[in-house]
Amino acid sequence: MTLTLIGIHSVKMLRNICRYQRQFGQIIWPFYFPQEKRVRSLSTHLQKARNASATTVRRKFYENVSISQGEGGLFEINLDKRKLKTPGGKLFTVPNEALAIAVATEWDIQKDTLMFYTMHLTTLCNTALDNPTQRTKEQMISAALKFLETDTICFRVEEPPGLVELQRNEWDPVMNWIEQRYNVVIGSSSSIMGPQIPEETKNTFKQHLNSYNLWSLTGFEYVITQLKSLVLSFGLIDRHLSVEQAVVLSRLEEEYQIQRWGNVEWTHDYDMHELQARTAAGVMFVHLSTESTAVKRKILQD
């Protein structure tokens, strides 16, 4: 039997994505849409799921999933004898085998009903291939850098004292890390205007982001959108933070309020685990979209 390995880090992340979706996907899928306002009522979650289920699910129409290498060395996804295509009608192709395996896994774990809202890697590939807004690499980098001006961990509160201390203890180490790692100055502020980010800092991050290809930038921007933080996203991509750590840090004020006042039963877990699944998928997409990604095979005896 041949076992395909995508790398320990990526395999663990893919398993976590699948686990989160199996446990919570039936209820928390509305959080898939980044622009949708998050609600705090379980009944509202359920009602949204019922209302939209007709357009977001489809009965499974295939039995076997496989990958093949096509023209130009690109990899394709096969559903039985059909080749997968994008919503825009393009042939679904990915730049390397590792990413193809990860996407094929998303299709392979689907049951009788296809739950597209759990297939984050497929969605990111569709976005990179179709580029529906026709954005250039420069425009994507500019959009990512705008998050630095409103970065979650740059805005600090002045009260209550417990939250002030929590932000200092949890966010300052991450801020210190990124400033030392990239030799930049970012800072933080309790003013509604936020900190004044030096142009040198922006230029440094711009140069770094420019080193990524268009596919990787698609995933990077997706992670930033989930966490509302460029700093936390860099921490994740550089493997300084785990997905769980980054998500908690991005929701620090909410976590503080929950610890103090409690939360609606189940809702917090749904929100948390879905955000973890989306963030993990984005980080994995960045890593698997790099040209250096390779697939290793190990032969095991049955």
Side-chain angles (χ1 to χ4, degrees), residues 73-279:
L74 299 176
F75 287 85
E76 304 166 356
I77 310 298
N78 307 302
L79 306 177
D80 291 335
K81 296 182 179 181
R82 303 180 183 181
K83 291 186 180 297
L84 184 63
K85 292 188 176 182
T86 70
K90 294 182 180 179
L91 180 64
F92 189 102
T93 57
V94 297
N96 58 61
E97 187 179 10
L99 183 55
I101 292 171
V103 172
T105 300
E106 285 190 330
W107 288 86
D108 191 48
I109 64 175
Q110 300 297 309
K111 303 303 182 183
D112 295 334
T113 300
L114 301 179
M115 294 184 287
F116 295 110
Y117 46 82
T118 68
M119 302 168 73
H120 305 305
L121 294 175
T122 299
T123 299
L124 285 166
C125 288
N126 284 333
T127 301
L129 287 166
D130 284 343
N131 191 9
T133 56
Q134 298 300 304
R135 291 193 302 164
T136 64
K137 183 176 180 179
E138 290 72 22
Q139 289 173 321
M140 295 180 68
I141 292 174
S142 178
L145 288 175
K146 284 187 179 298
F147 276 90
L148 189 58
E149 301 171 1
T150 59
D151 198 288
T152 296
I153 74 170
C154 289
F155 285 81
R156 306 299 176 89
V157 298
E158 295 181 322
E159 57 179 355
L163 183 54
V164 172
E165 182 179 5
L166 184 63
Q167 289 181 341
R168 182 173 59 250
N169 292 341
E170 299 296 329
W171 284 349
D172 280 1
V174 182
M175 186 66 75
N176 292 337
W177 167 81
I178 195 170
E179 289 184 334
Q180 293 176 16
R181 166 75 172 82
Y182 291 95
N183 192 26
V184 295
V185 175
I186 300 176
S188 61
S189 173
S190 58
S191 167
I192 192 172
M193 301 301 294
Q196 295 295 319
I197 309 297
E199 286 300 318
E200 293 81 1
T201 296
K202 296 179 182 178
N203 290 333
T204 297
F205 287 140
K206 182 178 181 179
Q207 292 176 9
H208 181 74
L209 289 172
N210 196 49
S211 68
Y212 287 89
N213 59 41
L214 196 63
W215 281 63
S216 297
L217 282 175
T218 299
F220 209 126
E221 188 177 20
Y222 184 73
V223 175
I224 295 172
T225 302
Q226 304 311 310
L227 301 177
K228 306 298 185 293
S229 172
L230 184 69
V231 174
L232 293 177
S233 298
F234 269 103
L236 266 177
I237 302 302
D238 288 353
R239 296 189 172 99
H240 177 71
L241 298 172
S242 68
V243 170
E244 289 80 4
Q245 287 173 325
V247 168
V248 169
L249 290 173
S250 73
R251 294 161 46 94
L252 203 61
E253 183 172 356
E254 184 173 359
E255 294 298 314
Y256 173 81
Q257 298 298 342
I258 287 173
Q259 292 297 321
R260 188 175 183 183
W261 304 107
N263 63 290
V264 178
E265 187 176 4
W266 297 107
T267 305
H268 172 260
D269 288 339
Y270 296 149
D271 196 356
M272 175 72 78
H273 285 281
E274 174 61 3
L275 183 55
Q276 288 176 345
R278 291 198 310 269
T279 303

